[in-house]
Amino acid sequence: RIRSGWPVMGCEIIAGETLPAAIGVVSLAVSFTKGCYPGQELVERMDSRGSTAPKNLRLLTGAIVENAKSGDAVIVNGETVGEFTSVAPDCALAYVGRAVELGVVVDAASSSRRRYD
């Protein structure tokens, strides 16, 4: 699940808080033709403007995930840039600020992912 970048309730998805755009599931989880739903205005506005969430779910691998635990800060060059949500021995999911070029931005609807090293 982690290596596939699939978010899960309680870790990456917090009811009432998580934006679908932040976890890359808008095309799978949101219908723009079925009427009203909680958060509709924000989701629709982000989609119509082509904007991204302030932080995105990323798949991280390599040295940055060594000894990481869920809830730990993601630190790059001494600066906190995000937070780990789920950690496996060789990879992790983390919310990272959109301006930071780190890891792979999770996009559950497509097999193409943007890679940042």
Side-chain angles (χ1 to χ4, degrees):
R1 171 191 80 78
I2 294 172
R3 181 157 298 284
S4 296
W6 194 252
V8 70
M9 290 294 292
C11 293
E12 290 78 33
I13 305 170
I14 306 300
E17 295 179 20
T18 305
L19 299 173
I23 55 175
V25 298
V26 171
S27 63
L28 297 173
V30 175
S31 171
F32 293 100
T33 61
K34 289 188 178 178
C36 298
Y37 54 89
Q40 175 183 0
E41 291 178 21
L42 177 60
V43 171
E44 181 61 41
R45 188 170 54 245
M46 289 178 73
D47 182 67
S48 66
R49 293 180 181 171
S51 63
T52 59
K55 58 185 178 179
N56 299 101
L57 190 62
R58 312 273 179 100
L59 175 64
L60 305 178
T61 58
I64 198 160
V65 301
E66 289 178 13
N67 301 314
K69 296 181 209 74
S70 297
D72 285 355
V74 177
I75 300 173
V76 176
N77 298 327
E79 182 180 344
T80 298
V81 298
E83 181 179 336
F84 289 101
T85 58
S86 296
V87 180
D90 62 342
C91 61
L93 291 175
Y95 280 113
V96 177
R98 67 179 162 206
V100 178
E101 295 184 358
L102 178 69
V104 177
V105 176
V106 170
D107 181 359
S110 130
S111 59
S112 63
R113 295 181 173 164
R114 297 181 304 214
R115 177 85 193 167
Y116 301 111
D117 290 319

